[in-house]
């Protein structure tokens, strides 16, 4: 560490580091700007690779008719002749992959629908085709169906980065200004975090382009928030250490070298914990969830590198005056503690056992709200905070034509068994039609044409690699529980592989539930091992993990009630608990690492109980500021129109604040005071404290550390 710190912030090394980062930033800026080009925002990119709906989609792509995705144009209170005229124009739109259906009026002729089959092999072209159809109809009709819904989703994801970048930047600048109360100092951490983000985007572009990493708008948006938040956290910790050292060293290069040596272990351990937790997502089934792990792990690595090299170099390049108006003076009192946290620590120290028992009981009570929270898949109508056109159109379609929807059912069957399977599918009470003309005058095929096959049970189905695609419609909305139950029944038919929009929704839900069961224990195990290695103890890591898990349960339970009772959301989306767990547990342990490593450092000098109070006082202000920064950055996700991201942002923000102000400052400190030296069991050096409470470890750092604390 001495060699590394000297190289990073030496009189010559700082300029070398700066030049290297400038070159990296220039290249990263060009590559990172292309990240949107390799994003996969179509619904298929979220599916598990081996799911039945994925298999069916692959077969559709290879079929002679291509992967047709129907756009349903529904008119309300408009004449049939108007829809017929539009249908002729739809046929000329680039991307139409089949014959446009004639207008189909609803009973009573209060609404009319036209089905436009679009090519689904390129979702960029599909979105452009939907936009062109909407230009033709103007405000006279709604474009919905699978194509309309996909286009709306892709459009939302495509606008995430710009919205989040502006909002996150504003939040980080504001918090840094309030924290440092300096007109200049905030700029250095902010620029360093910006460079880290550019490099992480470039790294993910290369992985997506050449290694097949799945990146979408959701993971790109979370990456932006995470990098800014975690990089700013590391900056706060390092700058606080640097300020301490400036009071002890006249030369700022020596001060930064010492600050780096003292801060790097905690920061590196924190980054390793977060990155390891994120990499556990690689075992997830869902492509989007599995891809999120390495996407964000790259961001954490870039944030760590920038904050331990670029940030120190920039800080030693500029003079002490950058801290104005609170410029640390050499030989003056070092700012190593906080009067507020001193007082809080003394209050906790009076009755530590009662404090931690009461705090744990309160958190347990909050965690019980999980039993009342509603967790489940969100229907399309509930997935947006404001209704897009496809959702409004689906509501009109359901009102006049029923809840069945073109493209909701596609069955893949062996060629020799197609008739048997088609007959079995048609006999299911949840199926409106399979192949032939359905009830209510709906077109017979997914391409909008009445079937020429007449009474054939396969309805003129298409052969693909020795198998047959049977296109049909379910009676229920494809995002409903009834539709899911129908898909589950159909999958019991021997030889049938069931896909379509309902199966896509079901497979995504099942994968989320499976990932939660598998990934959560893995994350807990990995982080526990890291803590044991870092602290060289067993008791402290187990207590740390228990407090963070309790904090997560409380945050998710309370948030779930707020979502349904206050915000009016239908439920906590199925995918939110896992992602919230990853960020809250990894980041929650993150802050505890900042505290407990400082306590362990002090315990070697003054004993565990006194060290707990010194550690709380020394890190309280920094960790609180870091928690506010990270909570504020994740709260920015609430500006997006997607309910799932708004929920994720709220749970993580609330959980981080709960962990920062309650778990880390009160619960963990009280536990440390009560358990005492046995926190470090089986480390004999720290469990064998003298009668006076000091650790008895004679190291060269002892006198210097005591001098720093005295200021």
């Amino acid at each position: 560490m001495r060699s590394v710190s000297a190289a990073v912030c030496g009189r010559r090394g700082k300029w070398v580091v700066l030049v290297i980062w400038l070159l990296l930033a220039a290249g990263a800026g060009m590559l990172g700007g292309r990240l949107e080009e390799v994003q996969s925002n179509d619904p298929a990119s979220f599916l598990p690779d081996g799911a039945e709906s994925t298999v069916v989609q692959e077969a559709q792509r290879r079929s002679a008719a291509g992967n047709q995705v129907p756009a349903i144009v529904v008119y309300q209170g408009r004449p049939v002749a108007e829809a017929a005229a539009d249908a002729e124009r739809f046929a000329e739109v680039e991307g139409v992959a089949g014959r446009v259906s004639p207008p189909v009026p609803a009973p009573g002729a209060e609404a009319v629908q036209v089905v436009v089959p679009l090519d689904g092999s390129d979702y960029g072209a599909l979105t452009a085709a939907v936009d062109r159809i909407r230009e033709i109809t103007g405000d006279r009709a709604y474009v919905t169906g699978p194509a309309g819904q996909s286009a709306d989703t892709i459009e939302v994801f495509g606008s995430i980065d710009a919205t989040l970048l502006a909002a996150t930047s504003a939040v980080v600048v504001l918090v840094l200004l309030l924290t440092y109360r300096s007109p200049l100092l905030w700029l250095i951490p902010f620029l360093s975090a910006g460079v880290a983000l550019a490099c992480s985007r470039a790294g993910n572009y290369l992985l997506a382009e050449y290694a097949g990493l799945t990146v979408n708008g959701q993971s790109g948006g979370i990456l932006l928030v995470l990098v800014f938040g975690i990089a700013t956290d590391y900056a706060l910790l390092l700058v606080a250490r640097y300020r301490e050292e400036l009071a002890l060293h006249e030369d700022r290069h020596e001060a930064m070298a010492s600050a780096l040596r003292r801060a790097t272990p905690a920061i590196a351990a924190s980054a390793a914990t977060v990155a390891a937790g994120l990499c556990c997502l690689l075992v997830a089934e869902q492509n989007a969830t599995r891809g999120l792990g390495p996407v964000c792990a790259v961001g954490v690595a870039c944030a760590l590198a920038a904050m331990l090299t670029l940030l120190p170099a920039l800080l030693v390049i500029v003079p002490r005056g950058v801290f104005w108006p609170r410029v640390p003076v050499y030989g003056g009192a070092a700012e190593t503690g906080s009067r507020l946290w001193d007082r809080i620590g003394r209050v906790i120290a009076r009755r530590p056992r009662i404090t931690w028992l009461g705090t744990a009981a309160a958190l347990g009570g909050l965690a019980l709200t999980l039993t009342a929270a509603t967790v489940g898949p969100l229907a399309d109508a509930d997935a947006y905070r404001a209704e897009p056109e496809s959702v409004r159109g689906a509501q009109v379609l359901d009102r006049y034509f029923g809840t069945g929807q073109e493209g909701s059912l596609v069955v893949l069957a062996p060629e020799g068994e197609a008739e048997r399977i088609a007959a079995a599918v048609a006999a299911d009470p949840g199926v409106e039609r399979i192949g032939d003309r359905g009830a209510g005058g709906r077109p017979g095929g997914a391409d909008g044409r009445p079937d020429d096959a007449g009474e054939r049970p396969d309805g003129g189905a298409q052969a693909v690699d020795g198998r047959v695609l049977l296109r049909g419609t379910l009676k229920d909305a494809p995002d409903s529980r009834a539709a899911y139950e129908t898909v589950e029944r159909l999958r019991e038919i021997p030889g049938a592989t069931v896909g379509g929009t309902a199966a896509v929704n079901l497979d995504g839900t099942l994968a989320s539930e499976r990932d939660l069961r598998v990934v959560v224990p893995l994350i807990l195990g990995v982080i526990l091992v890291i803590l044991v290695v870092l602290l060289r103890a067993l008791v402290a890591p187990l207590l740390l993990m228990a407090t963070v898990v309790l904090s997560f349960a409380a945050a998710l339970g309370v948030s779930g009630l707020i979502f349904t009772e206050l915000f009016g959301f239908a439920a906590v989306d199925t995918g939110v608990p896992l992602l919230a767990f990853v960020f809250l547990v990894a980041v929650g342990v993150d802050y505890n690492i900042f505290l407990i490593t400082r306590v362990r450092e002090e315990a070697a000098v003054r004993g565990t109980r006194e060290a707990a109070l010194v550690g709380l006082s020394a890190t309280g202000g920094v960790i609180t500021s870091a928690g506010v920064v990270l909570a504020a950055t994740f709260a920015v996700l609430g500006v997006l129109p997607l309910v799932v991201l708004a929920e994720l942002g709220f749970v993580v923000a609330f959980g981080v604040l709960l962990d920062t102000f309650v778990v880390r400052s009160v619960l963990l400190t009280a536990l440390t005071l009560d358990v005492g030296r046995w926190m470090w069991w089986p480390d004999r050096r720290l469990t064998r404290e003298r009668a006076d409470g000091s650790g008895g470890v004679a190291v060269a750092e002892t006198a210097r550390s005591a001098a720093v604390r005295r200021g």
Side-chain angles (χ1 to χ4, degrees), residues 222-231 278 296 300 583 587 630 634:
I222 294 174
L223 170 71
L224 189 154
V225 168
L226 180 66
V227 170
F228 258 113
I230 207 164
L278 289 166
C296 291
V300 172
F583 292 114
V587 174
L630 194 66
F634 266 93

Side-chain angles (χ1 to χ4, degrees), residues 75 78-88 90 103 112-114 140:
Y75 300 79
R78 314 294 295 193
V80 175
E82 184 176 297
D86 284 346
E88 294 180 1
F90 297 157
V112 180
Q113 68 162 315
V114 175
R140 297 178 292 110

Side-chain angles (χ1 to χ4, degrees), residues 7-46:
V8 169
C9 52
R11 297 185 184 279
R12 294 182 180 178
K14 62 185 180 183
W15 297 108
V16 174
V17 170
L18 179 60
V19 170
I20 291 174
W21 274 105
L22 287 175
L23 294 174
L24 285 175
M30 292 185 291
L31 291 176
R34 301 178 62 185
L35 183 61
E36 285 75 12
E37 299 176 10
V38 295
Q39 287 185 359
S40 301
N41 290 319
D42 57 280
S45 68
F46 290 78

Side-chain angles (χ1 to χ4, degrees), residues 409-458:
L409 177 63
V410 182
V411 179
L412 189 63
E415 200 163 4
E417 301 182 65
E419 292 191 10
R420 174 185 64 81
I421 291 175
V425 171
D428 189 280
V431 176
E432 180 176 315
R433 68 171 184 83
I434 181 73
D436 57 346
R437 182 183 294 275
R442 285 184 181 271
D447 61 358
R449 292 174 293 179
D451 287 323
D452 298 324
E455 298 300 320
R456 286 178 55 189
D458 65 359

